[in-house]
Each structure stands twice: as C-alpha cells, then as structure tokens.
Amino acid sequence: MIAKNGSGLRPERGQGPPILSVPAASAGSAPSAAPASHGSRSARISLLAISLGSAGLGGAWQAATSVASAWIQISDVLFVISGLVWVVLLAAYVRHGGARWHNLREDLRHPGQGFALAYVPIIGMLITGHFSRFGEEGARWAYAVFMVAAALVAARLLAHWFTGALSETTLHPGYLLPVSSAPFIGSITASTLQLPEIAAAAFAVGVLYWLAFGTVILGSLVAGSPLPPPARPTLTVLVIPPAVGSNAWLAAHGGRLDGVGYGFSGILFFTLVLVAFMLPTIRERSFHTGLWIYSFPVAATSNFLVRWTYAADVPGREIIVWALLAVASGGFLLLGVATLVHGGRHWRLRAGNQVPPSTPPGARTGCVS
C-alpha cells in the first residue's frame, strides 16, 4: 500500500525501489507483528511473483499446445519451477512465524501486504489445473482447498477494508489481485476440471469486484495524488483482470469468441495501449527482483492472445503464436538470469558482512509485488 505522503516509498539503502510499498503505521491502525519477523515473512511472499510468473508462462505454452503444436513438456517444466519456488517460499514464510494464527491475522490485516497472501492459493489453483490431466478427482479436492483459501483471504480483506482500513492510503491496481483476478483464475481452473457451475459463480464474483474496485482505483489514480516513481510499475497490473477474465470466459465456452469475449478483448487491447504509453514513466534503470511484477501480466496477456488469434481466425496465426511465446519466454529468461546474477552479488556482499544475514537475496523488507 502506498501512503499519501509517500513515507512508505523510500527504498532501503543499496536496494532498488519497492514494487508496492508499506505506509508508515498510522495512529489508529491495528497493532502489527514485530517489524523484523513481519518483514521476513513479507519478503518471502513478495518473491512469489517469480512463481506466479512461471505459472503464467506455463499457461501460455499450455494454450499453444492445442493450437500450434507447442511442446507440453515446456509447460510442465515451467509449472514444476513454479511449484518448487512456491513450496520453498511458503515454507520460509511458515518458518518465520506464518503458521501462527496471531501472525497470519496481522499479516492479513496489514494495509500494505495483506492482499499479497492471495498469491498462495492463486498459484496453487494454476498448478492444480495444469496437472489435473494426471488425476482429475485428486485435482478437484486440491482445487477445493485452494479455492476456499482464496475466498477466505478475499472476504477477510474486504471485511477489513470496508471498515475504513483504506481511508488513509492511495489505491493502486494491486488491490484487484485477491478480489478480482483470483476469482477469474478460479473460474479458469473450474472449467478445466469440468465444474461449470463453480466456474460461472467464480466468474460473476470476479466481474463484480473488478467493476467495483476497478472504478474506485481508476478514480483514485486520475483524481488523487500521483503514484511516486517507485510504485509506478504496479500500473502494469491493470492488464491482469481483463487478460485472466478473457481466458475465464473462453475456457467456459470451449474457446469460442462471442460478444462477451470480444468485449473483454477490446478492454484488454485498450489497456495494453494505455500501459504502452506509460512505459517511459514506469521503466526502471537498474535490476531488482521487484521487476518480476511484469512477468505475470506479460504471460497472462500472451496466454489470451494465443487463444484469441485462433478463435478469431487471424491470418498468419501460427507465426503470431510462436512470436508471442518467444517474446514472453525471452523476457522470462532475462529476468531469471538477472535474478541469478543479482543473487550472486548479494551473497558475495553478505560474505563480506555488508548485508544483514536475515535479508533474502534481492528482497526488500516490507515490499510486496
């Protein structure tokens, strides 16, 4: 969350700018967990953007297997990477106190990082949907667990926000993650698991809160205080709801485009043009792991465009599909290599006692993506 006075947007010395920062605690706010432990937990949750980006790219390759003879093995590898990162970071979160009810409650109520906990069930649903071909019954049970968890996180956050918890902050697109993007992704997975009633229900929830919160967030961005430079990369998150919402509609209707599908397409294409015009403003001059925030918007958009080119019978669609996969995969590989180099530099500095031992490589305490 971003404080109006920008006090929560100053990056730590020697680190890149945060993705979504935490405001200074206000006088009537709920008591929070100890700064050190909360910072350690939030740093792990923020790095889940790597897992989400991996799953998103895996979904794009999976979509291409049915329309362009792409290799499903590439999609499998990407989802395995996503799952490994997810397990390691979730275990680290638990190790730093995330399993304690008091800490979990305080993390959910935190004005800046509470919504980032939605990463956990979202990634779980994406992985479950992909590997459901190895056992649909087991996948349905896993999906039920993740879907209930996503619903509980979203409902708890909404209940907290509706009581005035957001009154002192500037809104940003990240708030759409648990209340809109998560239901859309839940709808996609439900369609994959042949659960059309649940897919329709989840889709309706996603549309409702996308319209409700999206309107408020856009109004805040237009009429409120401008986002400080470190927070501007969050504007790329604007493409996620129309991208995953479009995929949810296509998944529920056998990949066929109709009036609603074309309507979602129009919103997504316009949002992509909007974000393109903002790129000179939101670009970063140096690498930090917060740049993984770009990976899922790119992957989700590529996923939809792969499906759309065939559903709309676009001329030269196979070449377009391979070009989309090349761009999305190239960006992912660049981020991966840069992250390894960045991590190696961090550990060398740590060996020289220049970085506190508790700081994970590339993470910025108190930031979420």
Side-chain angles (χ1 to χ4, degrees), residues 15 46 72 113 282 305 365:
Q15 297 178 335
S46 74
I72 189 65
Q113 291 128 333
I282 64 180
L305 291 178
T365 301

Tab-separated table of all heavy atoms in Angstrom, residues 15 46 72 113 282 305 365:
chain	number	residue	atom	x	y	z
A	15	GLN	N	19.370	-0.759	-2.207
A	15	GLN	CA	18.402	-1.636	-2.838
A	15	GLN	C	17.608	-0.854	-3.859
A	15	GLN	O	17.522	0.355	-3.832
A	15	GLN	CB	17.446	-2.225	-1.804
A	15	GLN	CG	18.156	-3.110	-0.781
A	15	GLN	CD	17.183	-3.634	0.239
A	15	GLN	OE1	16.149	-3.020	0.473
A	15	GLN	NE2	17.514	-4.745	0.838
A	46	SER	N	6.586	-11.664	-1.208
A	46	SER	CA	6.808	-10.814	-2.379
A	46	SER	C	7.522	-11.567	-3.486
A	46	SER	O	7.254	-11.358	-4.670
A	46	SER	CB	7.609	-9.569	-1.986
A	46	SER	OG	8.966	-9.892	-1.745
A	72	ILE	N	4.199	-29.700	-24.760
A	72	ILE	CA	3.634	-29.658	-23.425
A	72	ILE	C	4.714	-29.805	-22.363
A	72	ILE	O	4.556	-29.344	-21.230
A	72	ILE	CB	2.563	-30.770	-23.261
A	72	ILE	CG1	1.802	-30.604	-21.950
A	72	ILE	CG2	3.227	-32.150	-23.328
A	72	ILE	CD1	0.979	-29.356	-21.861
A	113	GLN	N	0.447	-5.253	2.813
A	113	GLN	CA	0.811	-6.570	2.309
A	113	GLN	C	-0.262	-7.625	2.433
A	113	GLN	O	-0.077	-8.741	1.973
A	113	GLN	CB	2.066	-7.068	3.047
A	113	GLN	CG	3.292	-6.278	2.682
A	113	GLN	CD	4.018	-5.775	3.905
A	113	GLN	OE1	3.415	-5.574	4.945
A	113	GLN	NE2	5.308	-5.536	3.773
A	282	ILE	N	7.222	4.376	-16.194
A	282	ILE	CA	7.339	3.348	-15.163
A	282	ILE	C	8.588	2.490	-15.313
A	282	ILE	O	8.836	1.618	-14.470
A	282	ILE	CB	6.103	2.429	-15.171
A	282	ILE	CG1	5.995	1.654	-16.485
A	282	ILE	CG2	4.843	3.234	-14.932
A	282	ILE	CD1	4.800	0.740	-16.564
A	305	LEU	N	-3.810	-13.998	-25.947
A	305	LEU	CA	-3.594	-13.700	-27.365
A	305	LEU	C	-3.361	-14.971	-28.176
A	305	LEU	O	-3.768	-15.047	-29.347
A	305	LEU	CB	-2.413	-12.738	-27.520
A	305	LEU	CG	-2.653	-11.314	-27.006
A	305	LEU	CD1	-1.397	-10.476	-27.164
A	305	LEU	CD2	-3.828	-10.662	-27.730
A	365	THR	N	12.584	-5.724	2.405
A	365	THR	CA	11.706	-5.898	3.535
A	365	THR	C	10.573	-4.891	3.477
A	365	THR	O	10.783	-3.704	3.311
A	365	THR	CB	12.486	-5.706	4.848
A	365	THR	OG1	13.541	-6.656	4.873
A	365	THR	CG2	11.590	-5.898	6.039
